């Protein structure tokens, strides 16, 4: 109960607290969206997860997909994935 009271007071004092509370939800949503988009390019789940965590993407500053999502750049990453998918399918 004490923690809940503290949380409510903190929210009234600082709008940043609300933003921080939603950050994990945004991170989970964006991670899910990126991995879903990447499924069309890489159907193998293990390889897709390894790419997400480990492979630097030169076109986006040599950061990994995981870093890009954490920095709030999921939309740019998804756009790149869609462009790669279209190019692979011959849709330039």
């Amino acid at each position: 109960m004490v923690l809940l009271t503290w949380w409510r007071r903190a929210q009234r004092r600082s709008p940043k607290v609300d933003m921080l509370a939603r950050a994990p939800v945004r991170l989970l949503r964006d991670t899910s969206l990126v991995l879903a988009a990447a499924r069309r390019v890489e159907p193998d789940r293990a390889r897709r997860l390894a790419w997400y965590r480990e492979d630097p993407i030169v076109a986006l500053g040599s950061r990994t997909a995981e870093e890009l999502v954490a920095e709030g750049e999921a939309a740019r990453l998804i756009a790149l994935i869609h462009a790669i998918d279209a190019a692979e399918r011959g849709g330039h």
Side-chain angles (χ1 to χ4, degrees):
M1 187 62 161
V2 172
L3 183 59
L4 182 60
T5 302
W6 172 85
W7 183 254
R8 286 182 183 147
R9 285 182 188 154
Q11 282 182 312
R12 282 193 294 265
R13 284 194 306 263
S14 172
K16 289 182 182 178
V17 172
D18 188 45
M19 182 178 69
L20 292 173
R22 286 184 288 178
V25 173
R26 180 198 54 83
L27 189 62
L28 288 172
R29 182 200 64 218
D30 289 352
T31 297
S32 177
L33 291 171
V34 166
L35 290 171
R39 186 179 309 135
R40 292 191 58 140
V41 177
E42 176 53 69
D44 182 87
R45 183 178 185 270
R47 289 174 60 181
R48 193 169 55 248
L49 289 174
W51 162 81
Y52 180 81
R53 293 184 182 127
E54 301 166 11
D55 292 351
I57 302 164
V58 175
L60 297 175
S62 294
R63 295 171 289 170
T64 65
E66 186 172 39
E67 291 169 327
L68 289 160
V69 169
E71 293 168 11
E73 296 191 46
R76 286 182 64 204
L77 180 56
I78 291 169
L80 178 65
I81 293 167
H82 286 289
I84 292 168
D85 183 40
E88 286 185 355
R89 296 179 188 276
H92 307 296

